[in-house]
Amino acid sequence: MLVVMHQWATEEDIEEVKKTIEEMGLKPVVIPGAERTAIGVIGNQGWIDDTPLMRLKGIMEIIHVTKPYKLVSRDFHPEDTIISIDNTIKIGIADEFVIIAGPCAVENYEQMMRAGEILTSLGVKIIRGGAFKPRTSPHSFQGLKEEGLRILAEVKRQFGLKVVTEVMSPEHVEKVQEVADILQIGARNMQNFDLLKELGKVQKPVLLKRGLSATVDEWLASAEYIVVEGNERVILCERGIRTFERATRNTADLSVIPLIKKISHLPVIFDPSHATGKRDLVRPMALASVVAGADGVMIEVHPEPDKALSDGQQSLNFEAFSRLYRDLTKLHRFYKNELKLSESSTLV
Ligand code: PEP
Ligand code: MN
């Protein structure tokens, strides 16, 4: 529920509304706005009887929110959420397009050192690499686990890169967060509610991938699980969804990016590698995501893609990646400086 106050409502009116909401056994969240203040209500399990609020002064409108999420919606938080990592990287700000790159899986020390060295020289600030791998088949490479985390820690130390790595179960959160700057929740775990709740208690950003067949409402409800526990630093990542189409590994749902921007304040990035599953489709789709309004991309890159232990068919080599990195940066600059300017004058 959202209680929208009149412009003329006083501080005392707002305080009275907050107090009444608390007396109703619920939690008020004040949402200051340029025009008027709104007060979000959380903590209810179903429909709220709003009669106790009826007698109060200063209320313009009471909106009953029927969506399975509130805190992650724009109604509750109109301004964009900007996620800052050590004050050096900002995710969710129009001026910056974050490019995360690295192998699907951490395979060995040399592979990650080569990746770290080349990516740093290009200007990449965040490296990816899975130590715990959620593989469809139990016979596939499952990741180096703790050894993979140690290698990631070494890459961080040597190159000053930030690290994104996946955490697959609640009992690993402690270990993974010692190394990770951003903890990834994979598509297969998007609705692992115990894991989501655990990450809600962590002090680091979470990159929440969209589930294999998740609707936007389900995806945002999963983000809500993290935010409601106290961790507001959630980055959404579109990685393709399962449809009838088998010509690509997944169907890249780029339309979800402007849609999410409209209904949620959370940053959203795009993963063209898993979204297409095909190396030659990564470049065009990554470029398209800039214009769709993504806050960044996450791309799989491998020193020798054909020898990769996982997802080689969708991994770029360093040469292809460096061209893409250059062009993404250029396109983003052009888009934000030239095209965005004309957007405000476009009649729709
Ligand atoms: C990955 O990022 O390597 C991964 C396993 O992705 P997803 O969960 O999107 O399949
Ligand atoms: Mn992968």
Side-chain angles (χ1 to χ4, degrees), residues 129-134 164-168 176 182-187 189:
F132 294 90
K133 292 303 302 174
V164 180
T165 197
E166 178 161 352
V167 55
M168 283 173 54
V176 173
I182 302 174
L183 292 103
Q184 175 173 325
I185 299 186
N189 269 319

Side-chain angles (χ1 to χ4, degrees), residues 14 46 49 60 93 102 113 134 144 147 204 222 233 292 304 308-309 337:
I14 294 169
D49 175 9
M60 186 179 84
I93 187 163
M113 286 300 138
L144 295 182
E147 173 60 11
K204 298 212 165 148
S222 288
R233 303 207 288 162
E304 290 174 287
L309 295 182
N337 293 337

